[in-house]
Amino acid sequence: MVGMSVLRSAAAFAARLSPLKSGNNAANLLSRAIPRTDKVAVRWCHGKKMFVIKPTDFYDRRFLRLLQFYILLTGIPVAVIVTCVNVFVGEAELVEAPEDYEPEHWEYYKHPITRWITWAFYDSPVKDYEKMMAAIQIEKEKADMRLTQLEVRRQMRSKGDGPWFQVETLNKELIDYSHKSNPDN
């Protein structure tokens, strides 16, 4: 904020000292040139003074101030970190690796910030592949289960077996248990 205040003061001072600004100086007063009408000061001294109601710009200015603050709050530290990483760490260099060494998935990138983002936030391609294969396996098992269920229903309908061929008994009193009372007869 101090920087903006200093810049505003410097701009006002430079505008006052501008040699290109044409005003009413002694050279213009003594010459016979006609003054330009767009430079003539117009004062509206007559008539009724009006209080012009205009919409407030308080919220617009507050939004712009907060936007500037939060951009600078995050932008300055990020710029400092990126600059320090680029100056002090630098990009990775290609070196000889042992025969049995298999690099991690983030080691394929050259820039250290990209390596860190890949290490911290992304899964390895092997893990992504395994997750995709697991999803495909689950969907295949679901499809097989649906086909098996359709085949079981078809077999049940063709052989007359299943819940739709059962008739509910209206009253249990109607069941004849007499043959079970004397099984040896």
Side-chain angles (χ1 to χ4, degrees):
M1 297 316 261
V2 173
M4 293 297 292
S5 177
V6 170
L7 285 175
R8 187 179 300 130
S9 301
F13 183 70
R16 275 187 247 128
L17 295 179
S18 175
L20 300 175
K21 188 176 180 182
S22 63
N24 293 331
N25 53 18
N28 285 342
L29 290 176
L30 297 176
S31 68
R32 293 181 181 247
I34 299 172
R36 296 178 57 183
T37 56
D38 61 345
K39 300 289 184 177
V40 174
V42 177
R43 291 177 177 79
W44 300 94
C45 295
H46 63 282
K48 184 177 178 184
K49 298 284 184 188
M50 302 293 288
F51 178 72
V52 179
I53 298 174
K54 64 175 188 158
T56 181
D57 62 343
F58 170 76
Y59 295 105
D60 297 337
R61 285 185 284 119
R62 184 177 74 167
F63 170 75
L64 291 175
R65 280 196 320 268
L66 289 174
L67 181 69
Q68 176 189 13
F69 172 72
Y70 285 115
I71 286 175
L72 291 177
L73 184 71
T74 57
I76 291 173
V78 167
V80 167
I81 289 170
V82 168
T83 304
C84 288
V85 165
N86 286 332
V87 168
F88 296 116
V89 177
E91 293 184 343
E93 296 177 1
L94 190 62
V95 295
E96 283 294 323
E99 288 292 325
D100 57 346
Y101 179 72
E102 183 176 339
E104 298 290 337
H105 69 279
W106 64 84
E107 293 179 355
Y108 289 105
Y109 297 99
K110 196 171 185 181
H111 199 271
I113 295 176
T114 309
R115 289 177 135 201
W116 179 79
I117 290 172
T118 306
W119 172 79
F121 299 111
Y122 293 133
D123 290 331
S124 70
V126 175
K127 187 174 180 181
D128 287 338
Y129 177 77
E130 291 295 329
K131 287 193 294 188
M132 184 56 66
M133 289 293 109
I136 290 171
Q137 176 67 23
I138 290 170
E139 291 301 318
K140 180 166 183 345
E141 288 174 1
K142 285 181 186 177
D144 291 344
M145 190 182 337
R146 286 188 200 103
L147 288 174
T148 306
Q149 186 178 16
L150 287 175
E151 179 63 23
V152 167
R153 285 182 178 266
R154 190 183 66 76
Q155 291 290 336
M156 287 168 62
R157 285 191 191 276
S158 68
K159 296 182 179 180
D161 186 23
W164 45 85
F165 288 105
Q166 307 297 325
V167 178
E168 288 187 18
T169 308
L170 298 177
N171 189 358
K172 292 184 180 180
E173 304 275 329
L174 299 175
I175 299 175
D176 183 21
Y177 291 113
S178 63
H179 65 281
K180 291 186 179 181
S181 62
N182 297 331
D184 293 334
N185 289 346

